[in-house]
Amino acid sequence: MPMFKFHTREDVENWIVGSDADIGGLSEAYWGHTLQNHAKFWGKISTDIPPNSKLTRSGYAGIRSKELPLTLFHRPRFDTEPFRYLAIRARGDNRQWFVNIQTDSLYPTYLWQHRMYFSTPGEWETILIPFRDFVLTAKGYIQTRNMPMYREKVKTVGFSVIRQPGNFSLELDWIKAVNTPKTMGDFDVMEPGTYLDKFNRLRRLKPGQTIEQALGNTIRFFEDPNDKDLEEPETFVNEKDAKIAQIRKSRKQLDEKK
């Protein structure tokens, strides 16, 4: 599912740039559109505290997407629940970056974060980050009581670099929510002829072997509910009603034999 692309100036204008310079720090941060039709985030991080400043620490720069435009009936969100990964096509440096996701929440300071590194700094890479691996933070601190991300209501996506003095650079081509051929959200798609044994290890069926033979009595197989020959199963409130129903069924079978 496409989330963001950065091929036009209008695409880039839908993002916000910020740094500690907004509150009196000395870092520099810039955001713009390149001649190659990509977005570029660059600048310089400074951890120095200006003289006579009330700051106790400094050295931050980041960007984030704006919320989707309000419609007549609601504020649209990204529903990433059906997908396993956040996919990012980017070119970066050798710094440690943070990917930030904000969702609908009662607490506006909640942010889900994940580290992002580049294997080949200076070259384009496609990075896949599992949504379930993001960690809940608030005001820059990891929360000890983590909670699942509200993936059906993603508001914004962003990137930040923190307390790493010097020049930085990050170029972006697109951001998507994706599955691989072997994933469907948080579920794994298994190849035909494979199964998981009781130790959760991936196994392959032997030639001519069925899944019932491989698993034996460790799993219960249900009949096809669309089979018209099957009777609708009865449900009972208690064991006494179940026994009465069984007696009636047995008597009915005896009467049919007569």
Side-chain angles (χ1 to χ4, degrees):
M1 176 184 71
M3 297 179 68
F4 305 98
K5 56 183 178 63
F6 304 94
H7 302 160
T8 67
R9 290 182 180 272
E10 289 74 19
D11 295 334
V12 175
E13 289 173 355
N14 289 324
W15 284 62
I16 300 171
V17 60
S19 71
D20 57 59
D22 300 330
I23 54 174
L26 300 176
S27 297
E28 301 175 13
Y30 307 97
W31 173 246
H33 186 253
T34 70
L35 296 176
Q36 293 74 33
N37 291 326
H38 301 131
K40 185 174 183 179
F41 177 46
W42 77 101
K44 184 177 182 179
I45 295 294
S46 173
T47 56
D48 296 335
I49 304 297
N52 303 320
S53 174
K54 295 181 179 179
L55 296 175
T56 57
R57 60 177 182 172
S58 187
Y60 160 83
I63 52 173
R64 70 167 176 85
S65 62
K66 296 179 182 178
E67 294 186 38
L68 295 175
L70 183 67
T71 67
L72 182 62
F73 300 104
H74 73 296
R75 174 77 72 176
R77 301 293 188 229
F78 292 105
D79 183 4
T80 62
E81 179 65 25
F83 304 94
R84 173 76 63 91
Y85 301 101
L86 181 70
I88 304 163
R89 181 67 176 171
R91 177 165 62 184
D93 49 29
N94 58 0
R95 296 177 178 274
Q96 172 185 276
W97 288 84
F98 285 95
V99 183
N100 310 310
I101 293 180
Q102 187 179 25
T103 70
D104 281 350
S105 172
L106 295 174
Y107 307 97
T109 60
Y110 276 7
L111 203 65
W112 276 263
Q113 289 190 320
H114 198 286
R115 291 183 177 89
M116 181 176 71
Y117 298 95
F118 289 91
S119 301
T120 54
E123 299 182 13
W124 286 98
E125 300 180 32
T126 300
I127 299 173
L128 300 180
I129 304 175
F131 282 105
R132 62 187 178 189
D133 287 353
F134 279 78
V135 176
L136 176 62
T137 67
K139 297 182 179 180
Y141 295 95
I142 296 176
Q143 301 302 290
T144 55
R145 296 184 62 183
N146 200 10
M147 65 175 64
M149 183 194 302
Y150 192 8
R151 286 159 54 176
E152 299 94 328
K153 297 289 185 178
V154 171
K155 292 171 58 175
T156 67
V157 176
F159 302 88
S160 58
V161 58
I162 302 172
R163 299 190 62 79
Q164 299 173 71
N167 296 324
F168 65 86
S169 176
L170 174 68
E171 292 183 71
L172 295 166
D173 187 12
W174 49 255
I175 301 172
K176 301 177 182 179
V178 303
N179 285 307
T180 68
K182 294 186 177 182
T183 64
M184 183 60 67
D186 285 340
F187 297 96
D188 294 323
V189 179
M190 300 176 62
E191 297 179 2
T194 60
Y195 67 96
L196 295 177
D197 64 13
K198 62 181 180 180
F199 300 107
N200 210 32
R201 296 175 299 193
L202 184 65
R203 300 291 190 184
R204 187 172 294 277
L205 294 174
K206 299 176 182 177
Q209 186 183 32
T210 65
I211 189 67
E212 291 89 345
Q213 294 170 341
L215 295 176
N217 59 1
T218 61
I219 190 170
R220 180 182 177 187
F221 292 90
F222 294 88
E223 300 292 342
D224 186 353
N226 297 320
D227 192 335
K228 297 181 180 179
D229 296 332
L230 293 177
E231 296 183 2
E232 186 70 20
E234 297 181 88
T235 57
F236 304 99
V237 176
N238 52 53
E239 186 178 353
K240 180 180 178 181
D241 292 341
K243 289 182 178 180
I244 293 173
Q246 183 62 38
I247 293 172
R248 289 175 178 173
K249 186 176 181 180
S250 300
R251 289 176 178 175
K252 182 180 179 180
Q253 292 174 348
L254 289 173
D255 293 339
E256 289 176 353
K257 290 181 180 180
K258 293 179 181 179

